[in-house]
């Protein structure tokens, strides 16, 4: 498999970090003694979340001691142009309830641009990854890649839309606009979280959107969608994972989605 030589080692390391994450998350998934607390924003955090981020950070400290790290559950460390962005368990609410739709998200950003991303969903038996300039792939490991690409759907009436929760759009003051978009699309389903964006990257879904997200929710997904030929913007149409939320499409439908949902 041809890989951009500038990020070959970083992509391999990202897969090793995902292996670390998988070993921790799967060992605690559906554990009867799983410890669940509430963060200040009232979202859940488990002992698996913190243990997974700690495992990833330990490996990074050995392998990339000069790189900065930003994670969901722990304080930022380091500084400089290279920064790893980690969401140890995206979909913690699913994880807590025993629903297998959750993943560890790992991204390397250079000068704030996502250049390597890995999304690992071990309970689904799936992993997706991308390195800048090399396209996007899916498979069980780096040694078994399958190239993935977004769909060629050009009309909203033929499009499949994935989202997380309608309540989020109501809270954002865009409930009616989002429902109108749903009605314009051929099909809508709440696959939610990382999976929505990976389905766009694979061409199984054409549109995914959430009005409020953090960098750790979006960074890894953004490079995979972009390398698969799609477009990943914030709610104002700015490319990349730096805004309030994410509007993600196969690219061909992006202007139509922005016209419907732009605040």
């Amino acid at each position: 498999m041809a890989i951009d030589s500038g990020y070959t080692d970083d992509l391999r390391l990202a897969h090793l970090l995902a292996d670390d994450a998988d070993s921790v998350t799967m060992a605690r998934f559906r554990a009867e003694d799983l410890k669940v607390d509430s963060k200040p924003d009232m979202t859940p955090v488990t002992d698996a979340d913190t243990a997974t981020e700690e495992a990833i950070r330990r490996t990074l400290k050995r392998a990339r001691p000069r790189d900065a790290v930003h994670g969901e559950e722990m304080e930022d460390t380091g500084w400089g142009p290279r920064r790893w962005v980690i969401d140890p368990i995206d979909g913690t609410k699913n994880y807590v309830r025993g629903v297998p739709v959750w993943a560890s998200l790992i991204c390397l950003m250079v000068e704030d641009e996502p250049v390597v991303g890995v999304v690992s969903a071990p309970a689904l038996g799936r992993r997706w990854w991308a390195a800048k300039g090399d396209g996007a792939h899916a498979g069980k490991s780096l040694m078994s890649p399958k190239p993935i690409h977004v769909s060629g759907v050009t009309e909203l009436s033929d499009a499949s839309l994935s989202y997380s929760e309608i309540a989020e759009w109501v809270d954002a003051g865009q409930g009616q606009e989002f429902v109108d978009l749903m009605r314009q699309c051929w099909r809508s389903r709440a696959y939610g979280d990382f999976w929505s964006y990976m389905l766009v990257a694979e061409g199984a879904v054409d549109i995914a959107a959430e009005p409020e997200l953090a960098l750790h929710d979006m960074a890894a997904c953004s490079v995979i969608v972009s390398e698969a030929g799609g477009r990943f913007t914030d709610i104002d149409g700015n490319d990349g994972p730096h805004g309030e939320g994410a509007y993600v499409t196969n690219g061909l439908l992006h202007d139509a989605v922005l016209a419907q949902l732009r605040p």
Side-chain angles (χ1 to χ4, degrees), residues 190-254:
Y191 297 112
D193 301 318
F194 74 94
W195 206 15
S196 292
Y197 310 117
M198 297 303 96
L199 290 172
V200 171
E202 291 183 320
V205 164
D206 313 298
I207 303 165
E210 290 182 81
E212 185 175 350
L213 292 168
L215 179 63
H216 55 259
D217 298 310
M218 299 185 283
C221 295
S222 70
V223 63
I224 295 171
V225 168
S226 298
E227 286 296 317
R231 190 173 176 198
F232 193 112
T233 75
D234 66 13
I235 60 178
D236 293 315
N238 301 307
D239 289 313
H242 297 288
E244 293 181 12
Y247 293 171
V248 178
T249 73
N250 61 2
L252 302 171
L253 297 166
H254 214 84

Side-chain angles (χ1 to χ4, degrees), residues 169-170 173-183 260-261:
W169 295 95
V170 174
Q174 293 178 274
Q176 187 60 56
E177 290 83 353
F178 186 71
V179 169
D180 289 343
L181 176 63
M182 293 175 67
R183 288 172 173 165
Q260 177 63 39
L261 294 180

Side-chain angles (χ1 to χ4, degrees), residues 2 7-8 10 12 54 60-61 74-75 94-95 100 109 115-116 133 143 150 153 181 184 206 218 226 242 257 260:
Y7 304 112
T8 301
D10 292 314
R12 289 173 177 162
E54 288 170 350
L60 283 173
K61 187 174 182 179
M74 302 173 67
E75 293 185 0
N94 282 345
Y95 189 90
M109 303 183 74
V115 296
V116 168
M143 302 308 296
V150 296
V153 173
L181 176 63
Q184 293 177 63
D206 313 298
M218 299 185 283
S226 298
H242 297 288
V257 172
Q260 177 63 39

Side-chain angles (χ1 to χ4, degrees), residues 66-117:
R66 296 183 180 180
D67 290 356
V69 182
H70 168 78
E72 181 180 11
E73 309 302 345
M74 302 173 67
E75 293 185 0
D76 291 357
T77 57
W79 60 275
R82 289 171 50 92
R83 177 171 56 153
W84 293 87
V85 179
I86 303 161
D87 188 345
I89 300 179
D90 183 60
T92 299
K93 292 178 181 178
N94 282 345
Y95 189 90
V96 169
R97 291 298 302 270
V99 178
V101 183
W102 49 268
S104 297
L105 315 184
I106 299 163
C107 179
L108 172 64
M109 303 183 74
V110 177
E111 301 288 357
D112 282 338
E113 178 186 6
V115 296
V116 168

